[in-house]
């Protein structure tokens, strides 16, 4: 059994020497502690414990909390009436749960903010068992004077990471803390055993979902001789062909595209470019389990050589189009495919929700490859409004279609009257094609994947993801939008404001974000934009930033509730999940269901 440090005075001298000169001289401390001190110094952690970051909206019903609760309750029984505390954190060292067997110890812990909602990551609190266990990815103990910050030196603690047995990911940290004089090697035994029990419960609770994915994967893999993966919220399984074919970046791309496909009921396949510019087709089949959407089976078909239209000489396949911000795989792939069809002058249908940037992608591709060519944008919604003279708009489009150097973008074709869409289809069908002739590049944009009467005129469709599926890009979009309205000495944006923007559901996508930024900078043109400067719509948000998979689950549940007229039981039945599960998901995702008969009044 590992023994605890025996001479606190030597530790005090070693720490003082380190803080003064950066070395220990002839004194010694344990290697993990010295390494942690160096990290703490690099991060600029205050020697006197600073006020730690606080999150008031921690998820107290997360997977790790549910798995840990019975284990921690048993541990409390063992430690009852002892001056010992039991702590559980998430995978980022944010405290989720704390119990102490003595009131005075609770007061001591409150004094150093070791309480729910506070972060004990090393970057904030310095060397401590929770943060150090997370950094070292192994069991850790920190005795009194080994703490980097002075205010923690009255305590001793031991912590162990909690790993998911199937994914290997760290789900949280379990910690036992006491006063320095009460420290015992038994603390290491307690946290090690507690972590193992929680890990076993995590695997058991995940069995239904993970087992459904595994069974579907094995069945599909027996029937196929090509690259195949199963993707879930915390699990990716690849067969041998896929493991050899796909690189690390490709896995993220496949996952993002699988989410996009599952969010589009009529689309089961899509084209992507893998690393190295290799074109591939993904075919996706969703997998359901009794607890909800388990994931998807994805088949990957790759051609050995990319065609010329899908390559760019001398350019990285992940270079953003000019004037656009964002580096998420799904957003970059949409831009790359639009760009490839621009170069090839192949007619293209660009689909996606209103405001996602469909027209912006086409314009940016045109600017990159044909900057001197004519760019014509026709708004299909206006054809049925201010310009209702059928012959007029028909003739304008016909005249532009005769210009081989032109790029013609017809927006909002889904908002045209059915008769106008049929007329447009006839106009496009009359375009003469001769061998060797260069056609104009024609792009149509639609919020629906299959605007009737037009799809057959466009051999390829590219889907643009909604903003909620690439919220990380908000960190790049916000400065770009601010610069758009305040090009000289633009205001900055605080991290709190960015986090609030990332948590918002954005039903209007990038267009809605653009409107919010325009409003904000009209009021604050200098300094820092804070969360208090944002309009109310940005504060009606979820409690945290959702993952891609959680966003997909939220959207599926919301759609089911709309279709069921707000009836939770019917929605759960249609999704194949239990009533308890849908109630928990509604609460977790912040879905608001109006009790009025109008089933469309459902929001998040």
């Amino acid at each position: 059994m590992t023994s605890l440090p025996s001479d606190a005075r030597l530790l005090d001298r070693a720490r003082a020497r380190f803080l003064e000169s950066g070395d220990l001289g002839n004194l010694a401390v344990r290697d993990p502690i010295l390494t942690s001190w160096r990290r703490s110094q690099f991060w600029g952690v205050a020697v006197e414990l600073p006020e730690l970051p606080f999150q008031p909206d921690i998820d107290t019903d997360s997977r790790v909390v549910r798995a840990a609760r019975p284990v921690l309750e048993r541990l409390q029984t063992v430690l009852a009436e002892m001056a010992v505390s039991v702590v559980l954190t998430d995978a980022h060292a944010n405290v989720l749960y704390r119990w102490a067997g003595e009131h005075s110890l609770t007061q001591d812990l409150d004094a150093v903010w070791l309480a729910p909602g506070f972060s004990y990551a090393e970057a904030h609190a310095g060397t401590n068992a929770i943060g150090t266990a997370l950094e070292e990815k192994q069991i850790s103990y920190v005795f009194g004077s080994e703490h980097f910050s002075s205010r923690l030196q009255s305590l001793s603690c031991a912590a162990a990471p909690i790993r998911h047995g199937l994914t290997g990911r760290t789900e949280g940290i379990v910690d036992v803390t006491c006063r320095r004089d009460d420290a015992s090697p038994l603390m290491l035994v307690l946290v090690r055993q507690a972590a193992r029990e929680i890990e076993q419960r995590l695997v058991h609770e995940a069995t239904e979902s993970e087992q459904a994915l595994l069974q579907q994967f094995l069945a599909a893999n027996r029937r196929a001789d090509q690259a195949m993966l199963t993707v879930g919220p915390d699990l990716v399984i690849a067969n041998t062909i896929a493991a050899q074919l796909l690189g690390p970046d490709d896995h993220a791309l496949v996952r993002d595209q699988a989410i996009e496909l599952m969010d589009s009921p009529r689309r089961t396949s899509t084209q992507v470019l893998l690393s190295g510019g290799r074109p591939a087709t993904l075919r996706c089949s969703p997998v359901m389990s009794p607890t909800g959407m388990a994931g998807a089976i994805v088949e990957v078909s790759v051609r050995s050589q990319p065609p010329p239209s899908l390559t760019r000489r001398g350019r990285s396949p992940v270079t953003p189009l000019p004037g656009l911000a964002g580096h998420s795989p799904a957003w970059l792939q949409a831009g790359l495919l639009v760009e490839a069809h621009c170069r090839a002058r192949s007619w293209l249908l660009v689909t996606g929700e209103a405001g996602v940037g469909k027209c912006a992608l086409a314009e940016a591709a045109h600017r990159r490859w044909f900057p001197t060519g004519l760019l014509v944008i026709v708004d299909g919604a206006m054809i049925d409004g201010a310009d209702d003279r059928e012959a007029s708009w028909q003739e304008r489009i016909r005249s532009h279609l005769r210009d081989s150097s032109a790029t013609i973008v017809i927006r909002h074709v889904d908002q045209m009257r059915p008769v106008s869409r049929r007329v447009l289809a006839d106009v496009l069908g009359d375009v003469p094609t001769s061998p060797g002739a260069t056609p104009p590049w024609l792009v149509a944009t639609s919020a629906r994947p299959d605007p009737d009467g037009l799809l057959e005129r466009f051999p390829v469709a590219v889907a643009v993801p909604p903003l909620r599926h690439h919220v990380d890009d908000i960190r790049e979009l916000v400065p770009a939008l601010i610069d758009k309205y305040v090009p000289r000495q633009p205001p900055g944006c605080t991290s709190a404001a960015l986090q609030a923007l990332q948590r918002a559901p954005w039903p209007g996508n990038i267009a809605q974000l653009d409107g919010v930024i325009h409003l904000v900078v009209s009021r604050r043109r200098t300094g820092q934009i804070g969360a208090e400067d944002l309009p109310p719509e940005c504060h009606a948000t979820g409690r945290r930033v959702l993952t891609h998979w959680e966003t997909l689950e939220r959207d599926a549940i919301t759609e089911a509730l709309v279709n069921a007229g707000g009836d939770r039981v019917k929605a759960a039945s249609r999704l194949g999940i239990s009533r308890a599960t849908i109630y928990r998901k509604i609460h977790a995702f912040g879905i608001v269901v109006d009790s009025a008969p109008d089933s469309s009044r459902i929001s998040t």
Side-chain angles (χ1 to χ4, degrees):
M1 180 179 295
T2 305
S3 61
L4 297 175
S6 57
D7 196 330
R9 289 174 300 177
L10 289 178
L11 279 173
D12 288 336
R13 288 172 54 195
R15 176 177 171 276
R17 176 67 182 264
F18 174 82
L19 293 175
E20 180 182 348
S21 62
D23 64 59
L24 298 177
N26 60 352
L27 300 172
V29 298
R30 294 185 293 124
D31 288 342
I33 297 301
L34 179 58
T35 302
S36 178
W37 284 356
R38 288 171 176 160
R39 284 195 300 263
S40 302
Q41 198 170 58
F42 173 79
W43 282 318
V45 177
V47 175
E48 291 295 331
L49 184 67
E51 186 171 346
L52 302 178
F54 177 71
Q55 294 187 13
D57 54 355
I58 57 171
D59 187 359
T60 58
D61 193 37
S62 65
R63 176 169 59 182
V64 70
V65 172
R66 293 195 301 272
R69 189 174 288 117
V71 178
L72 300 182
E73 289 174 353
R74 286 199 299 272
L75 197 56
Q76 290 170 202
T77 302
V78 173
L79 301 175
E81 299 182 5
M82 295 177 62
V84 179
S85 172
V86 179
V87 177
L88 177 73
T89 80
D90 64 16
H92 305 289
N94 299 308
V95 179
L96 302 174
Y97 171 94
R98 186 197 69 185
W99 169 89
E102 186 181 273
H103 180 67
S104 60
L105 179 59
T106 299
Q107 294 177 318
D108 292 343
L109 299 179
D110 286 342
V112 294
W113 302 294
L114 184 52
F118 289 96
S119 171
Y120 254 72
E122 270 193 354
H124 305 305
T127 304
N128 71 93
I130 293 170
T132 304
L134 190 58
E135 291 293 332
E136 299 286 341
K137 303 187 186 307
Q138 62 183 3
I139 192 168
S140 170
Y141 68 89
V142 179
F143 172 82
S145 300
E146 291 180 327
H147 287 93
F148 184 82
S149 292
S150 302
R151 290 184 61 190
L152 295 179
Q153 293 187 3
S154 62
L155 302 173
S156 291
C157 45
I162 301 166
R163 298 184 183 88
H164 195 291
L166 294 175
T167 68
R169 291 177 53 179
T170 299
E171 297 284 342
I173 302 290
V174 60
D175 167 271
V176 171
T177 295
C178 65
R179 297 186 181 91
R180 178 168 62 181
D181 294 340
D182 296 328
S184 165
L186 178 62
M187 297 163 63
L188 296 170
V189 178
L190 290 174
V191 295
R192 181 183 289 111
Q193 181 61 33
R196 287 175 180 170
E197 292 181 17
I198 296 170
E199 289 170 350
Q200 290 171 358
R201 289 184 56 83
L202 279 171
V203 172
H204 177 72
E205 288 189 1
T207 297
E208 286 186 337
S209 173
E210 306 289 356
Q211 192 67 26
L213 277 174
L214 181 59
Q215 290 176 354
Q216 291 286 342
F217 173 75
L218 293 175
N221 195 41
R222 283 194 294 267
R223 300 191 301 267
D225 57 355
Q226 63 185 43
M228 184 174 297
L229 304 91
T230 178
V231 294
D234 300 297
L235 180 67
V236 176
I237 305 174
N239 65 5
T240 303
I241 302 173
Q244 295 172 348
L245 178 67
L246 304 177
D249 292 339
D250 297 328
H251 283 279
L253 170 64
V254 169
R255 180 186 173 90
D256 286 345
Q257 292 298 314
I259 291 172
E260 291 296 326
L261 287 172
M262 285 189 292
D263 203 26
S264 304
R266 292 185 177 89
R267 294 175 61 236
T268 59
S269 65
T270 188
Q271 296 180 7
V272 299
L273 290 181
L274 302 176
S275 55
R278 297 169 297 164
T281 300
L282 307 183
R283 292 180 178 84
C284 179
S285 303
V287 177
M288 299 297 294
S289 77
T291 59
M293 185 174 292
I297 303 296
V298 183
E299 296 181 4
V300 186
S301 303
V302 181
R303 289 192 293 270
S304 59
Q305 295 294 331
S309 62
L310 293 180
T311 60
R312 297 209 308 259
R313 297 193 193 101
R315 295 184 184 272
S316 164
V318 293
T319 303
L321 286 166
L324 302 182
H327 281 79
S328 66
W331 173 249
L332 287 176
Q333 280 292 314
L336 190 56
L337 288 169
V338 169
E339 183 181 359
H341 291 290
C342 175
R343 288 192 63 204
R345 312 294 283 177
S346 56
W347 289 9
L348 181 66
L349 177 65
V350 184
T351 65
E353 295 178 7
V356 295
K358 301 183 290 292
C359 188
L361 284 170
E363 289 185 66
H366 170 84
R367 285 195 300 270
R368 168 168 280 172
W369 292 105
F370 306 103
T372 61
L374 176 66
L375 174 63
V376 179
I377 299 178
V378 179
D379 193 338
M382 298 302 295
I383 288 175
D384 300 322
D387 185 3
D388 204 25
R389 293 167 296 178
E390 300 286 347
S392 175
W393 68 264
Q394 289 178 50
E395 189 53 42
R396 287 206 313 274
I397 292 178
R398 280 197 175 96
S399 65
H400 294 314
L401 287 171
R402 300 187 191 104
D403 184 351
S404 62
S405 65
T407 292
I408 305 166
V409 181
I410 305 176
R411 304 179 63 197
H412 304 135
V413 294
D414 54 310
Q415 295 183 30
M416 298 170 66
R417 291 177 299 175
V419 63
S420 298
R421 279 199 295 270
R422 290 194 292 271
V423 170
L424 177 59
D426 293 339
V427 170
L428 300 182
D430 293 339
V431 176
T433 56
S434 57
T438 303
W441 187 42
L442 181 66
V443 180
T445 73
S446 170
R448 292 190 288 120
D450 55 350
D452 44 22
L454 282 178
L455 189 58
E456 62 184 21
R457 304 296 179 185
F458 296 89
V460 179
V462 171
V464 182
L467 181 56
R468 63 183 176 275
H469 287 176
H470 58 111
V471 291
D472 288 347
D473 286 341
I474 286 176
R475 292 189 173 273
E476 294 183 46
L477 284 165
V478 168
L481 293 172
I482 292 175
D483 288 343
K484 170 183 171 183
Y485 295 110
V486 190
R488 291 189 175 183
Q489 298 182 332
C493 193
T494 66
S495 60
L498 284 173
Q499 288 177 3
L501 292 172
Q502 283 186 290
R503 291 190 181 104
W506 298 115
N509 297 293
I510 297 175
Q512 182 186 4
L513 176 62
D514 181 276
V516 166
I517 296 301
H518 191 194
L519 174 65
V520 170
V521 298
S522 69
R523 301 169 177 173
R524 177 181 289 279
R525 303 185 71 84
T526 60
Q528 290 285 312
I529 296 171
E532 67 278 4
D533 296 313
L534 301 177
E537 66 189 278
C538 298
H539 297 285
T541 65
R543 294 179 294 176
R544 57 189 173 84
V545 177
L546 300 181
T547 66
H548 288 323
W549 215 268
E550 289 171 327
T551 300
L552 181 65
E553 277 196 306
R554 182 195 63 191
D555 292 350
I557 290 171
T558 302
E559 182 180 0
L561 285 167
V562 170
N563 294 334
D567 189 314
R568 297 167 176 82
V569 177
K570 289 182 180 178
S573 177
R574 293 180 182 184
L575 290 169
I577 61 179
S578 68
R579 182 168 57 181
T581 297
I582 198 169
Y583 273 88
R584 179 167 55 82
K585 298 281 188 182
I586 288 171
H587 173 73
F589 294 146
I591 301 173
V592 180
V593 184
D594 199 320
S595 58
D598 180 3
S599 63
S600 65
R601 298 180 64 185
I602 295 179
S603 61
T604 57

